[in-house]
């Protein structure tokens, strides 16, 4: 059986583990706002981003292009529906 290569380095998994322990202890803070991190997913994301910053082996972030394209497509459909509606102007009677 062929050996599988790791997607994440051992150092990266240690960073995630450390972030998870800090979250459990209630000392993990989010970047910009500095609020306490309560979400498990957010703690993992913080650990992975720190590992990326240090140059450890971590796959690149998932691209938001596909979801952005979908939302842009929906927005363009909505705007075209609004523009295709016929607008009728009411004629005001002239006062003599």
């Amino acid at each position: 059986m062929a050996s599988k290569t790791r997607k994440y380095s051992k150092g990266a998994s240690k960073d995630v583990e450390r972030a998870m322990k800090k979250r459990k202890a209630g000392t993990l803070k989010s970047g910009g706002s500095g609020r306490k991190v309560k979400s498990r997913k957010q703690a993992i994301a913080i650990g992975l981003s720190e590992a990326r910053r240090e140059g450890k082996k971590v796959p690149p972030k998932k691209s938001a292009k596909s979801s952005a394209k979908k939302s842009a497509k929906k927005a363009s459909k909505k705007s075209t529906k609004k523009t295709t509606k016929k607008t009728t102007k009411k004629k005001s009677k002239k006062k003599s």
Side-chain angles (χ1 to χ4, degrees), residues 2 22 34-35 46 50 55 78:
K22 282 182 99 175
R35 293 183 179 164
I46 289 169
E50 287 174 359
K78 284 183 181 179

Side-chain angles (χ1 to χ4, degrees), residues 6-7 9-10 12 15 26 28 30 46 52 65 67 69:
R6 292 178 61 104
K7 282 187 179 181
S9 67
K10 289 180 183 179
D15 283 350
L28 185 63
S30 69
I46 289 169
R52 273 190 198 99
K65 289 179 185 176
S67 61
K69 282 181 184 178

Side-chain angles (χ1 to χ4, degrees), residues 7-74:
K7 282 187 179 181
Y8 299 87
S9 67
K10 289 180 183 179
S13 48
K14 288 207 172 160
D15 283 350
V16 172
E17 188 178 333
R18 184 198 51 75
M20 293 296 282
K21 283 182 180 176
K22 282 182 99 175
R23 179 193 69 97
K24 198 87 162 170
T27 58
L28 185 63
K29 309 275 185 185
S30 69
S33 63
R35 293 183 179 164
K36 283 185 185 176
V37 173
K38 296 175 185 173
S39 168
R40 189 179 134 270
K41 285 184 178 180
Q42 193 175 357
I44 292 168
I46 289 169
L48 288 175
S49 69
E50 287 174 359
R52 273 190 198 99
R53 220 178 303 135
E54 293 170 11
K56 296 178 180 169
K57 185 182 173 189
V58 182
K61 281 185 180 181
K62 297 276 184 177
S63 175
K65 289 179 185 176
S66 62
S67 61
K69 282 181 184 178
K70 286 178 187 176
S71 62
K73 206 173 201 182
K74 284 182 184 178

